[in-house]
Amino acid sequence: MCEDILSSDDIRHYFKCTIFEVAGQLECPKGTLLKYMHQYYVKPKWHEYVYNTVYLGHPQYIEDLDNYGPYDWLSDEGLTLLRSINTKSQDFVLEKIKPICFKDKENDIIAYRTLCHDCTEDSAEMFEIRLKLFESNLDFLRNFWGSSHLVKNNSEKLIPILKLIVEYSDELTQHIYLGEPKELATYAQKNYYKIILELLPAVCAKTKNFKPQWPNYEFSSQYRNWTRESYNEHPARDVVRILKSAMCEFSIKEPREFISFVTNYDDEKSVVYYEIISSAINNLDTAYSDFAVSWLCSDIHNHLFIYTSNQEDYLSTSKKII
């Protein structure tokens, strides 16, 4: 019947179009219909209409294209089809773009633009590819706007992105929008333990060679990246703020465990580490004042003077604690 309608000269065009409209709305089209739609997909007269109405956004029809010989998935049309199902059929999309990833900048851009528009919808494998593309081309990370969505959705996917900001802090010089300060603080409070376990060692490893400014008077551009500024702060400072919020929440929620953590922490430490810890100690209940004072006095050179949080007064945090 469909063929009779489509081939008839006595039936208006828009009546014929209803066949494709209905086909495009089916959730589970079967093999016979898939094959029939493909016959019209390859007809020049109907191609554009069938492409937009039946195929675009519909995984079953798009995946069926592989059954009729090689299909050019890297053509403009093929990539548009893949983008239209990047949330519905991620394994299929990745199968088509992984062969071109990490070969050159142009192909990385093509692959990156095919990923989900909103990374909260990424599968584990797609998100892994996204992270690797960030490393392959830091411009993707510099211009990434999706962190705020991760924050609002309380997604742990934000943490590996923050680790990349730490790892490539020397190359990332411009501001990266992660979210509103209050939302970031709330996110850190909700995920404080995982943030501390994942980010603190990364930050300490990255900043381990930064010596206290006094009496060394070392102040390289890398050091400045981790120092609080009045404006134009480096993305690394956002990571520090998130870590400080997480550590403060730890000290408030689990003060005894926090004290044990600080006392037994044997990984690499740095001037940034001491800023993070001193901020949390300042938030301890007064019942733990003895620990706070003893911590300050146990290493005056590193604990009493905090070099990255207030360039005008290295003692500002210690004064608050006392």
Side-chain angles (χ1 to χ4, degrees):
M1 182 179 292
C2 290
E3 188 61 30
D4 291 339
I5 295 173
L6 290 170
S7 60
S8 174
D9 293 331
D10 298 325
I11 297 176
R12 294 177 183 270
H13 177 76
Y14 60 83
F15 280 124
K16 296 179 181 181
C17 291
T18 58
I19 293 175
F20 302 112
E21 294 284 351
V22 172
Q25 294 178 29
L26 295 176
E27 293 185 2
C28 299
K30 303 301 181 181
T32 302
L33 180 60
L34 294 172
K35 186 175 181 180
Y36 188 72
M37 287 298 107
H38 183 263
Q39 291 176 8
Y40 281 86
Y41 178 77
V42 297
K43 289 184 178 182
K45 177 183 177 180
W46 284 103
H47 173 77
E48 184 175 356
Y49 190 81
V50 174
Y51 169 81
N52 286 292
T53 305
V54 179
Y55 280 79
L56 204 63
H58 300 129
Q60 292 89 345
Y61 292 109
I62 293 174
E63 292 175 14
D64 183 60
L65 288 172
D66 274 342
N67 293 324
Y68 308 98
Y71 183 83
D72 186 4
W73 292 106
L74 300 183
S75 66
D76 289 343
E77 188 173 275
L79 289 169
T80 301
L81 288 173
L82 291 176
R83 293 188 194 106
S84 74
I85 60 169
N86 57 19
T87 61
K88 301 174 183 177
S89 188
Q90 298 192 9
D91 289 344
F92 183 81
V93 172
L94 291 175
E95 175 191 331
K96 302 306 177 187
I97 67 169
K98 280 199 293 187
I100 67 170
C101 289
F102 320 120
K103 290 185 175 180
D104 54 58
K105 185 175 181 179
E106 183 177 350
N107 278 311
D108 282 352
I109 291 173
I110 292 172
Y112 186 75
R113 289 176 176 173
T114 311
L115 301 180
C116 291
H117 185 64
D118 183 351
C119 65
T120 60
E121 299 179 327
D122 283 357
S123 65
E125 186 178 7
M126 182 171 284
F127 187 65
E128 183 180 352
I129 293 292
R130 187 186 296 274
L131 292 176
K132 290 180 179 178
L133 286 169
F134 281 158
E135 292 189 83
S136 177
N137 187 340
L138 289 177
D139 283 340
F140 298 145
L141 183 55
R142 290 185 181 99
N143 298 301
F144 182 62
W145 56 266
S147 294
S148 60
H149 283 203
L150 296 175
V151 171
K152 291 177 181 177
N153 286 276
N154 197 37
S155 172
E156 292 185 355
K157 290 177 181 175
L158 179 66
I159 298 175
I161 293 175
L162 296 176
K163 287 183 73 173
L164 287 180
I165 291 175
V166 171
E167 183 177 352
Y168 294 99
S169 58
D170 294 344
E171 293 87 352
L172 299 170
T173 56
Q174 66 187 52
H175 177 70
I176 298 174
Y177 180 70
L178 298 178
E180 293 301 306
K182 288 184 178 180
E183 292 176 346
L184 289 172
T186 300
Y187 176 85
Q189 291 161 3
K190 290 180 178 179
N191 301 279
Y192 66 90
Y193 202 66
K194 186 171 182 63
I195 287 173
I196 292 169
L197 291 181
E198 294 285 335
L199 290 183
L200 187 62
V203 168
C204 289
K206 187 67 179 180
T207 60
K208 64 181 179 180
N209 294 324
F210 296 167
K211 298 178 181 179
Q213 293 178 32
W214 181 87
N216 301 286
Y217 298 105
E218 287 192 4
F219 200 70
S220 63
S221 59
Q222 287 80 15
Y223 203 130
R224 185 181 296 276
N225 293 344
W226 295 90
T227 304
R228 193 182 76 176
E229 303 285 347
S230 301
Y231 57 91
N232 291 335
E233 281 193 322
H234 191 277
R237 282 303 301 181
D238 286 325
V239 179
V240 173
R241 271 190 289 273
I242 291 170
L243 257 174
K244 288 171 73 172
S245 294
M247 195 67 76
C248 287
E249 187 71 5
F250 187 23
S251 69
I252 294 169
K253 290 282 184 64
E254 304 178 69
R256 294 185 182 277
E257 289 78 4
F258 166 76
I259 290 172
S260 176
F261 176 86
V262 173
T263 303
N264 298 303
Y265 190 79
D266 57 2
D267 283 354
E268 294 172 315
K269 301 175 183 178
S270 71
V271 291
V272 181
Y273 166 84
Y274 295 120
E275 176 188 348
I276 294 165
I277 297 301
S278 63
S279 176
I281 288 176
N282 183 48
N283 280 272
L284 280 171
D285 188 88
T286 54
Y288 302 96
S289 297
D290 288 348
F291 169 77
V293 173
S294 65
W295 183 83
L296 283 176
C297 298
S298 63
D299 185 351
I300 291 178
H301 193 53
N302 288 307
H303 295 181
L304 200 63
F305 296 92
I306 303 301
Y307 298 96
T308 51
S309 65
N310 187 338
Q311 291 300 294
E312 296 181 356
D313 185 0
Y314 295 153
L315 290 169
S316 60
T317 304
S318 300
K319 292 175 183 177
K320 293 176 184 177
I321 294 173
I322 295 172

Short mmCIF file of all heavy atoms in Angstrom, two decimals, residues 265-298:
data_model
loop_
_atom_site.label_atom_id
_atom_site.label_comp_id
_atom_site.label_asym_id
_atom_site.label_seq_id
_atom_site.Cartn_x
_atom_site.Cartn_y
_atom_site.Cartn_z
N TYR A 265 49.00 12.03 57.68
CA TYR A 265 49.18 12.24 56.25
C TYR A 265 50.66 12.20 55.91
O TYR A 265 51.46 13.03 56.38
CB TYR A 265 48.59 13.59 55.83
CG TYR A 265 48.52 13.78 54.34
CD1 TYR A 265 47.49 13.19 53.60
CD2 TYR A 265 49.46 14.54 53.65
CE1 TYR A 265 47.41 13.36 52.23
CE2 TYR A 265 49.39 14.72 52.28
CZ TYR A 265 48.36 14.12 51.57
OH TYR A 265 48.29 14.29 50.21
N ASP A 266 51.05 11.23 55.12
CA ASP A 266 52.48 11.05 54.84
C ASP A 266 52.81 11.20 53.36
O ASP A 266 53.92 10.88 52.93
CB ASP A 266 52.96 9.69 55.34
CG ASP A 266 52.17 8.53 54.76
OD1 ASP A 266 51.27 8.78 53.93
OD2 ASP A 266 52.46 7.37 55.13
N ASP A 267 51.84 11.66 52.55
CA ASP A 267 52.15 11.95 51.15
C ASP A 267 52.90 13.27 51.06
O ASP A 267 53.15 13.94 52.06
CB ASP A 267 50.86 12.03 50.32
CG ASP A 267 50.30 10.65 50.00
OD1 ASP A 267 50.98 9.66 50.33
OD2 ASP A 267 49.19 10.57 49.46
N GLU A 268 53.27 13.64 49.83
CA GLU A 268 53.98 14.90 49.63
C GLU A 268 53.13 16.08 50.10
O GLU A 268 51.92 16.09 49.94
CB GLU A 268 54.33 15.07 48.15
CG GLU A 268 55.34 14.05 47.65
CD GLU A 268 55.52 14.10 46.15
OE1 GLU A 268 54.51 14.17 45.45
OE2 GLU A 268 56.68 14.07 45.72
N LYS A 269 53.81 17.07 50.69
CA LYS A 269 53.13 18.28 51.15
C LYS A 269 53.73 19.48 50.44
O LYS A 269 54.79 19.41 49.83
CB LYS A 269 53.29 18.42 52.67
CG LYS A 269 52.72 17.23 53.44
CD LYS A 269 52.99 17.34 54.94
CE LYS A 269 52.47 16.11 55.67
NZ LYS A 269 52.76 16.15 57.12
N SER A 270 53.01 20.59 50.51
CA SER A 270 53.48 21.79 49.83
C SER A 270 52.89 23.01 50.51
O SER A 270 52.05 22.90 51.41
CB SER A 270 53.06 21.76 48.35
OG SER A 270 51.66 21.94 48.25
N VAL A 271 53.28 24.19 50.06
CA VAL A 271 52.74 25.42 50.64
C VAL A 271 51.23 25.49 50.42
O VAL A 271 50.50 26.04 51.25
CB VAL A 271 53.43 26.67 50.03
CG1 VAL A 271 54.87 26.76 50.47
CG2 VAL A 271 53.33 26.66 48.49
N VAL A 272 50.74 24.92 49.33
CA VAL A 272 49.30 24.91 49.07
C VAL A 272 48.60 23.95 50.03
O VAL A 272 47.50 24.23 50.52
CB VAL A 272 49.00 24.54 47.60
CG1 VAL A 272 47.51 24.56 47.34
CG2 VAL A 272 49.73 25.48 46.64
N TYR A 273 49.24 22.84 50.31
CA TYR A 273 48.69 21.88 51.28
C TYR A 273 48.46 22.57 52.62
O TYR A 273 47.42 22.40 53.25
CB TYR A 273 49.65 20.70 51.44
CG TYR A 273 49.37 19.83 52.64
CD1 TYR A 273 48.43 18.81 52.58
CD2 TYR A 273 50.06 20.04 53.84
CE1 TYR A 273 48.17 18.01 53.70
CE2 TYR A 273 49.82 19.24 54.95
CZ TYR A 273 48.87 18.24 54.87
OH TYR A 273 48.61 17.45 55.98
N TYR A 274 49.43 23.34 53.05
CA TYR A 274 49.31 23.99 54.36
C TYR A 274 48.20 25.04 54.37
O TYR A 274 47.55 25.25 55.39
CB TYR A 274 50.65 24.61 54.76
CG TYR A 274 51.73 23.57 54.98
CD1 TYR A 274 52.90 23.58 54.22
CD2 TYR A 274 51.56 22.57 55.92
CE1 TYR A 274 53.88 22.62 54.40
CE2 TYR A 274 52.55 21.61 56.11
CZ TYR A 274 53.70 21.63 55.35
OH TYR A 274 54.65 20.67 55.53
N GLU A 275 47.97 25.69 53.24
CA GLU A 275 46.84 26.62 53.17
C GLU A 275 45.52 25.88 53.35
O GLU A 275 44.63 26.33 54.09
CB GLU A 275 46.84 27.35 51.82
CG GLU A 275 45.62 28.26 51.66
CD GLU A 275 45.46 28.86 50.27
OE1 GLU A 275 46.41 28.75 49.46
OE2 GLU A 275 44.37 29.41 49.98
N ILE A 276 45.39 24.75 52.68
CA ILE A 276 44.15 23.96 52.74
C ILE A 276 43.91 23.44 54.15
O ILE A 276 42.80 23.55 54.69
CB ILE A 276 44.22 22.80 51.72
CG1 ILE A 276 44.25 23.36 50.29
CG2 ILE A 276 43.05 21.84 51.90
CD1 ILE A 276 44.68 22.34 49.25
N ILE A 277 44.95 22.90 54.76
CA ILE A 277 44.80 22.32 56.10
C ILE A 277 44.53 23.40 57.14
O ILE A 277 43.67 23.25 58.02
CB ILE A 277 46.05 21.51 56.48
CG1 ILE A 277 46.23 20.32 55.52
CG2 ILE A 277 45.96 21.02 57.92
CD1 ILE A 277 45.06 19.36 55.50
N SER A 278 45.26 24.51 57.06
CA SER A 278 45.07 25.57 58.06
C SER A 278 43.66 26.15 57.99
O SER A 278 43.07 26.50 59.03
CB SER A 278 46.11 26.68 57.86
OG SER A 278 45.96 27.31 56.60
N SER A 279 43.11 26.24 56.79
CA SER A 279 41.74 26.74 56.64
C SER A 279 40.76 25.82 57.35
O SER A 279 39.82 26.29 58.00
CB SER A 279 41.39 26.84 55.15
OG SER A 279 40.05 27.22 54.97
N ALA A 280 40.97 24.52 57.24
CA ALA A 280 40.08 23.56 57.90
C ALA A 280 40.27 23.57 59.41
O ALA A 280 39.30 23.47 60.17
CB ALA A 280 40.34 22.16 57.35
N ILE A 281 41.50 23.71 59.86
CA ILE A 281 41.76 23.77 61.30
C ILE A 281 41.07 24.98 61.91
O ILE A 281 40.55 24.94 63.03
CB ILE A 281 43.28 23.80 61.57
CG1 ILE A 281 43.88 22.42 61.26
CG2 ILE A 281 43.59 24.23 62.99
CD1 ILE A 281 45.38 22.34 61.39
N ASN A 282 41.02 26.06 61.15
CA ASN A 282 40.33 27.26 61.63
C ASN A 282 38.83 27.01 61.84
O ASN A 282 38.18 27.73 62.60
CB ASN A 282 40.53 28.40 60.62
CG ASN A 282 39.92 29.70 61.07
OD1 ASN A 282 40.12 30.13 62.20
ND2 ASN A 282 39.17 30.33 60.20
N ASN A 283 38.29 25.98 61.18
CA ASN A 283 36.86 25.67 61.30
C ASN A 283 36.56 24.61 62.35
O ASN A 283 35.40 24.25 62.54
CB ASN A 283 36.31 25.23 59.95
CG ASN A 283 36.00 26.39 59.02
OD1 ASN A 283 34.92 26.94 59.04
ND2 ASN A 283 36.99 26.76 58.23
N LEU A 284 37.60 24.09 63.00
CA LEU A 284 37.38 23.11 64.06
C LEU A 284 36.63 23.74 65.24
O LEU A 284 36.77 24.92 65.53
CB LEU A 284 38.71 22.54 64.56
CG LEU A 284 39.37 21.44 63.74
CD1 LEU A 284 40.77 21.17 64.27
CD2 LEU A 284 38.53 20.15 63.75
N ASP A 285 35.85 22.93 65.89
CA ASP A 285 35.16 23.38 67.11
C ASP A 285 36.20 23.74 68.17
O ASP A 285 37.32 23.21 68.18
CB ASP A 285 34.24 22.26 67.62
CG ASP A 285 33.36 22.72 68.75
OD1 ASP A 285 32.26 23.24 68.47
OD2 ASP A 285 33.78 22.57 69.92
N THR A 286 35.82 24.64 69.07
CA THR A 286 36.75 25.07 70.12
C THR A 286 37.17 23.92 71.03
O THR A 286 38.19 24.02 71.73
CB THR A 286 36.11 26.18 70.97
OG1 THR A 286 34.84 25.72 71.47
CG2 THR A 286 35.91 27.44 70.15
N ALA A 287 36.42 22.83 71.00
CA ALA A 287 36.81 21.67 71.81
C ALA A 287 38.15 21.09 71.35
O ALA A 287 38.79 20.34 72.09
CB ALA A 287 35.73 20.60 71.72
N TYR A 288 38.55 21.45 70.14
CA TYR A 288 39.80 20.92 69.59
C TYR A 288 40.87 22.01 69.49
O TYR A 288 41.78 21.93 68.67
CB TYR A 288 39.53 20.31 68.21
CG TYR A 288 38.49 19.22 68.25
CD1 TYR A 288 37.15 19.50 67.95
CD2 TYR A 288 38.83 17.92 68.63
CE1 TYR A 288 36.18 18.51 68.01
CE2 TYR A 288 37.86 16.92 68.70
CZ TYR A 288 36.54 17.22 68.38
OH TYR A 288 35.60 16.24 68.45
N SER A 289 40.76 23.00 70.35
CA SER A 289 41.70 24.11 70.35
C SER A 289 43.12 23.66 70.64
O SER A 289 44.09 24.20 70.08
CB SER A 289 41.28 25.17 71.37
OG SER A 289 40.03 25.72 71.03
N ASP A 290 43.27 22.69 71.53
CA ASP A 290 44.63 22.22 71.87
C ASP A 290 45.33 21.66 70.63
O ASP A 290 46.52 21.93 70.42
CB ASP A 290 44.55 21.14 72.95
CG ASP A 290 44.19 21.70 74.31
OD1 ASP A 290 44.23 22.94 74.46
OD2 ASP A 290 43.87 20.90 75.21
N PHE A 291 44.58 20.91 69.82
CA PHE A 291 45.19 20.38 68.60
C PHE A 291 45.56 21.52 67.66
O PHE A 291 46.65 21.51 67.07
CB PHE A 291 44.23 19.42 67.89
CG PHE A 291 44.69 19.06 66.51
CD1 PHE A 291 45.71 18.14 66.32
CD2 PHE A 291 44.14 19.68 65.39
CE1 PHE A 291 46.15 17.82 65.04
CE2 PHE A 291 44.58 19.36 64.10
CZ PHE A 291 45.59 18.44 63.93
N ALA A 292 44.67 22.50 67.52
CA ALA A 292 44.93 23.61 66.60
C ALA A 292 46.21 24.36 66.98
O ALA A 292 47.06 24.63 66.12
CB ALA A 292 43.74 24.58 66.61
N VAL A 293 46.35 24.65 68.26
CA VAL A 293 47.53 25.39 68.71
C VAL A 293 48.79 24.53 68.57
O VAL A 293 49.85 25.02 68.13
CB VAL A 293 47.35 25.86 70.16
CG1 VAL A 293 48.64 26.49 70.69
CG2 VAL A 293 46.19 26.86 70.25
N SER A 294 48.67 23.26 68.94
CA SER A 294 49.84 22.38 68.84
C SER A 294 50.27 22.20 67.39
O SER A 294 51.47 22.11 67.09
CB SER A 294 49.55 21.03 69.48
OG SER A 294 48.54 20.34 68.75
N TRP A 295 49.29 22.18 66.48
CA TRP A 295 49.64 22.06 65.06
C TRP A 295 50.39 23.30 64.59
O TRP A 295 51.38 23.19 63.87
CB TRP A 295 48.37 21.87 64.23
CG TRP A 295 48.64 21.66 62.76
CD1 TRP A 295 48.97 20.50 62.15
CD2 TRP A 295 48.62 22.67 61.73
NE1 TRP A 295 49.14 20.70 60.79
CE2 TRP A 295 48.94 22.03 60.51
CE3 TRP A 295 48.37 24.04 61.72
CZ2 TRP A 295 49.01 22.71 59.30
CZ3 TRP A 295 48.43 24.71 60.52
CH2 TRP A 295 48.75 24.07 59.32
N LEU A 296 49.93 24.48 64.98
CA LEU A 296 50.61 25.71 64.60
C LEU A 296 52.05 25.73 65.08
O LEU A 296 52.97 26.14 64.37
CB LEU A 296 49.87 26.92 65.17
CG LEU A 296 48.58 27.37 64.47
CD1 LEU A 296 47.94 28.51 65.25
CD2 LEU A 296 48.86 27.80 63.03
N CYS A 297 52.25 25.28 66.31
CA CYS A 297 53.58 25.36 66.93
C CYS A 297 54.51 24.23 66.51
O CYS A 297 55.73 24.34 66.70
CB CYS A 297 53.45 25.35 68.46
SG CYS A 297 52.54 26.77 69.12
N SER A 298 53.95 23.17 65.94
CA SER A 298 54.78 22.00 65.61
C SER A 298 55.71 22.26 64.43
O SER A 298 56.72 21.58 64.28
CB SER A 298 53.89 20.80 65.30
OG SER A 298 53.07 21.05 64.16
#
